[in-house]
Amino acid sequence: MKVLVSVDIEGVAGVTHSEQTRSGNGEYERARAWMTAEANAAIRGAFDGGATHVLVNDSHGSFRNLLLDQLDERAEMVTGKPRYLSMMAGVEQECDTVFMVGYHARSQEAGVLAHTINSFAFRRVVVNGAELGEAGLYGALAGEYGASVALLTGDDIFLSETMHLFPGAMSVQTKRAHGNASCTSLSPGHACTLIHEAAAAAIAKVPELKPLVLSSAPFTCELTTQSPGQADLFCQWPTVTRVSGSSLRFEGDTMYEVLRILNSFSAMSFMLR
């Protein structure tokens, strides 16, 4: 069995402030070590549960956060950007299932550091009528490749909004959110113990799990931006329809297409910073 471990940082135990997610300071260096430890816990659990191959996708920011020299040597690493499949790169390599480690709640929710893809530009992402965060969007992308989602880890708000999308998946609550930048967290060591145990148990459940499939194509994506200026910029894309001052709509034949457009918008938004 081949497993893809997609690792973000906002849902990692102990991470509660944006400085911990940005390079160039000591708090980030400590947080990326916790991120690496949680990735290793998921890797060990996957192998202990019977996985034969584990790929790890560094899924935060620059996609260059995990400490490769500290990563379990049995795993392979997907790092750096750009890449078409973004947080789900590697799933196309015939992966059977996905572990989402250190994930966070969607934009405008009360979870720790909640956002969807780009906190500067994206306020709300709706696909075929369903509001989705990163786990839903990328879980649906994994589903197009026939891969289920077997493990979810992050805060309580993330789990409460996400678990219904992935019936039967294992979960680990690493912290209880008290707002965007405050929480009650497990210790990093305890979180890793729980992630290891859940990852091992998740492997046994994979044959019963079904990939996430949203309603049939075409997929209509409605994006609400953080400002009208961002909508101005994104509407330069020729297939986009302006809906209101800060909202727009476009279609894709697959979730792969939808996410490539969203990630292109995210990259475009840096010219407005």
Side-chain angles (χ1 to χ4, degrees), residues 240-257:
V240 169
T241 299
R242 189 73 167 261
V243 176
S244 68
S246 295
S247 63
L248 52 93
R249 181 186 299 117
F250 64 90
E251 289 190 352
D253 290 333
T254 61
M255 283 302 296
Y256 170 76
E257 289 184 12

Side-chain angles (χ1 to χ4, degrees), residues 134-213:
E134 290 171 18
L137 292 165
Y138 284 102
L141 178 58
E144 290 187 340
Y145 287 86
S148 62
V149 173
L151 175 66
L152 300 148
T153 83
D155 70 24
D156 57 326
I157 305 299
F158 162 67
L159 294 177
S160 68
E161 76 177 32
T162 305
M163 287 299 296
H164 73 281
L165 296 172
F166 307 107
M170 299 294 295
S171 66
V172 174
Q173 181 182 305
T174 58
K175 50 198 170 189
R176 296 192 308 278
H178 303 314
N180 184 259
S182 61
C183 68
T184 298
S185 178
L186 300 180
S187 69
H190 189 195
C192 287
T193 296
L194 296 179
I195 290 169
H196 172 264
E197 293 171 352
I203 295 300
K205 302 187 74 172
V206 171
E208 307 168 6
L209 302 178
K210 295 181 179 180
L212 174 61
V213 178

Side-chain angles (χ1 to χ4, degrees), residues 29 32-33 36-37 40 43 58 64-77 79:
E29 294 302 326
R32 72 192 296 211
T36 304
N40 276 331
I43 296 165
D58 188 325
R64 293 183 291 109
N65 308 276
L66 293 171
L67 300 168
L68 272 64
D69 60 340
Q70 296 182 23
L71 204 66
D72 189 310
E73 63 183 19
R74 295 172 293 179
E76 290 185 306
M77 182 72 183
T79 184

Side-chain angles (χ1 to χ4, degrees), residues 49-271:
T52 57
H53 194 165
V54 177
L55 285 171
V56 180
N57 179 324
D58 188 325
S59 296
H60 173 69
S62 67
F63 297 167
R64 293 183 291 109
N65 308 276
L66 293 171
L67 300 168
L68 272 64
D69 60 340
Q70 296 182 23
L71 204 66
D72 189 310
E73 63 183 19
R74 295 172 293 179
E76 290 185 306
M77 182 72 183
V78 182
T79 184
K81 66 191 320 181
R83 34 177 139 117
Y84 292 159
L85 298 181
S86 189
M87 297 177 77
M88 210 44 56
V91 73
E92 77 283 7
Q93 297 181 42
E94 299 182 343
C95 288
D96 300 288
T97 197
V98 175
F99 291 173
M100 295 181 171
V101 175
Y103 271 57
H104 51 80
R106 66 183 180 235
S107 178
Q108 305 305 305
E109 295 297 333
V112 174
L113 300 171
H115 66 280
T116 303
I117 299 179
N118 185 319
S119 59
F120 169 73
F122 297 171
R123 184 176 181 86
R124 189 167 182 258
V125 179
V126 176
V127 178
N128 286 0
E131 185 173 3
L132 298 172
E134 290 171 18
L137 292 165
Y138 284 102
L141 178 58
E144 290 187 340
Y145 287 86
S148 62
V149 173
L151 175 66
L152 300 148
T153 83
D155 70 24
D156 57 326
I157 305 299
F158 162 67
L159 294 177
S160 68
E161 76 177 32
T162 305
M163 287 299 296
H164 73 281
L165 296 172
F166 307 107
M170 299 294 295
S171 66
V172 174
Q173 181 182 305
T174 58
K175 50 198 170 189
R176 296 192 308 278
H178 303 314
N180 184 259
S182 61
C183 68
T184 298
S185 178
L186 300 180
S187 69
H190 189 195
C192 287
T193 296
L194 296 179
I195 290 169
H196 172 264
E197 293 171 352
I203 295 300
K205 302 187 74 172
V206 171
E208 307 168 6
L209 302 178
K210 295 181 179 180
L212 174 61
V213 178
L214 300 180
S215 53
S216 60
F219 297 99
T220 299
C221 181
E222 298 177 14
L223 173 65
T224 303
T225 61
Q226 297 286 11
S227 75
Q230 292 157 345
D232 291 343
L233 175 64
F234 302 155
C235 285
Q236 299 297 313
W237 195 283
T239 61
V240 169
T241 299
R242 189 73 167 261
V243 176
S244 68
S246 295
S247 63
L248 52 93
R249 181 186 299 117
F250 64 90
E251 289 190 352
D253 290 333
T254 61
M255 283 302 296
Y256 170 76
E257 289 184 12
V258 168
L259 278 159
R260 282 191 65 177
I261 292 172
L262 286 172
N263 284 313
S264 294
F265 289 165
S266 179
M268 290 165 64
S269 74
F270 280 88
M271 71 178 291

